[in-house]
Amino acid sequence: MIIAIDGPAGAGKSTVARLIAQKLGFLYIDTGAMYRALTLKALEKKLDIKNTASLIEMARDAKIDLTNNQDGSLKIFLGGRDVTSLIRQPRITNLVSDIAKIKEVRQVMLGLQRKLGKQRDSVLDGRDIGTVVFPDADKKFYLDAQFPERVKRRYKELQELGQKVTLKEVDVDLHNRDTIDSGREFAPLKKADDAIYIDTSRMSIDEVVEKISKEIKVKS
Ligand code: DC
């Protein structure tokens, strides 16, 4: 069984996807973390962000793996090295959308995401899961929230990670990423026609998890 959860940054996708996966005993696949791991690799190799050919070659060579911890959280590996914390750095967040917009880079990730999802029942969160990666997913959800609420949530999350950012910086980052992720030519952020739309602006995490759990049970 495949459950697809898409939406913009700060809508609550990753926390909700992790909890749903844990509840169902499914694998949780954070596809954003994969693009972040690639971005880390590009930075470590000091690749020119404008040199698309070198970024594509780097993506084809990359070895990305993921596992789930007991609490359902995700560990991500790049060439066998645990990069779970490193990929949350602001320098990664600032660049990730520019790497994720490259068609050939997305094709490499698509192959990996499909391979992982076919091995086990999975919950995937991302931007294009219900539209491109698994258009036949058993259940699709699109999580959204009003922009100021998403900024507040992302700000709180980064504070908890110990990152020194201002609300204004988070606002600018989310705005930039929304623009690039929704406007790109290949696999843009978009609600699948058959996805259930949930505005989480005034909902707690538990309420969103409850709503999704109910929808999943309706089907099975
Ligand atoms: O979910 P996140 O904020 O960690 O994702 C980081 C970036 O990766 C996001 O700004 C766009 C890109 N991404 C994507 O293009 N497609 C996905 N399926 C997941 C993430």
Side-chain angles (χ1 to χ4, degrees):
M1 185 178 198
I2 294 284
I3 300 179
I5 304 184
D6 289 303
K13 292 186 312 288
S14 50
T15 309
V16 167
R18 173 172 66 78
L19 292 171
I20 296 283
Q22 197 181 17
K23 222 171 154 175
L24 297 170
F26 286 13
L27 178 67
Y28 164 46
I29 304 175
D30 175 352
T31 62
M34 295 178 169
Y35 288 100
R36 286 172 177 273
L38 281 185
T39 307
L40 174 68
K41 186 168 181 190
L43 283 172
E44 288 183 340
K45 285 174 75 91
K46 298 194 169 34
L47 296 182
D48 176 359
I49 202 72
K50 294 196 180 71
N51 186 343
T52 307
S54 73
L55 294 170
I56 295 168
E57 194 189 327
M58 177 273 303
R60 289 184 177 145
D61 282 349
K63 197 177 171 307
I64 295 176
D65 299 299
L66 53 83
T67 57
N68 284 179
N69 297 317
Q70 283 284 327
D71 67 353
S73 61
L74 182 120
K75 255 197 187 145
I76 183 135
F77 299 88
L78 178 65
R81 178 170 58 119
D82 184 348
V83 295
T84 311
S85 310
L86 287 176
I87 61 165
R88 302 290 158 197
Q89 300 170 90
R91 65 187 188 123
I92 307 285
T93 308
N94 290 341
L95 271 186
V96 61
S97 288
D98 281 310
I99 293 187
K101 74 181 180 196
I102 303 169
K103 179 179 174 186
E104 292 85 349
V105 166
R106 300 199 69 81
Q107 281 168 339
V108 177
M109 291 299 98
L110 176 80
L112 182 58
Q113 288 157 13
R114 283 192 180 151
K115 189 171 138 207
L116 285 169
K118 278 176 187 157
Q119 279 168 5
R120 266 184 68 184
D121 289 326
S122 303
V123 179
L124 292 95
D125 91 60
R127 306 291 190 284
D128 60 339
I129 309 304
T131 51
V132 176
V133 184
F134 284 108
D136 297 328
D138 299 270
K139 271 285 174 193
K140 299 180 188 178
F141 300 91
Y142 188 93
L143 265 51
D144 203 356
Q146 284 160 14
F147 188 77
E149 181 60 31
R150 293 200 279 122
V151 172
K152 255 195 271 166
R153 287 180 189 171
R154 186 43 63 103
Y155 176 72
K156 193 165 162 255
E157 219 175 280
L158 293 174
Q159 296 250 299
E160 280 163 11
L161 284 174
Q163 292 185 18
K164 288 189 182 66
V165 282
T166 63
L167 255 180
K168 182 70 198 160
E169 282 165 345
V170 178
D171 184 305
V172 170
D173 163 56
L174 280 200
H175 181 74
N176 285 344
R177 288 204 289 145
D178 278 1
T179 308
I180 301 175
D181 296 344
S182 313
R184 70 180 172 226
E185 195 182 337
F186 193 71
L189 165 66
K190 205 170 87 187
K191 178 190 164 302
D193 290 340
D194 52 350
I196 296 169
Y197 181 91
I198 305 174
D199 181 345
T200 68
S201 305
R202 288 191 182 76
M203 293 171 82
S204 68
I205 293 288
D206 285 349
E207 284 169 338
V208 182
V209 170
E210 182 67 27
K211 181 165 172 59
I212 291 183
S213 302
K214 271 192 193 141
E215 294 287 351
I216 294 168
K217 279 197 202 103
V218 169
K219 188 176 187 263
S220 50

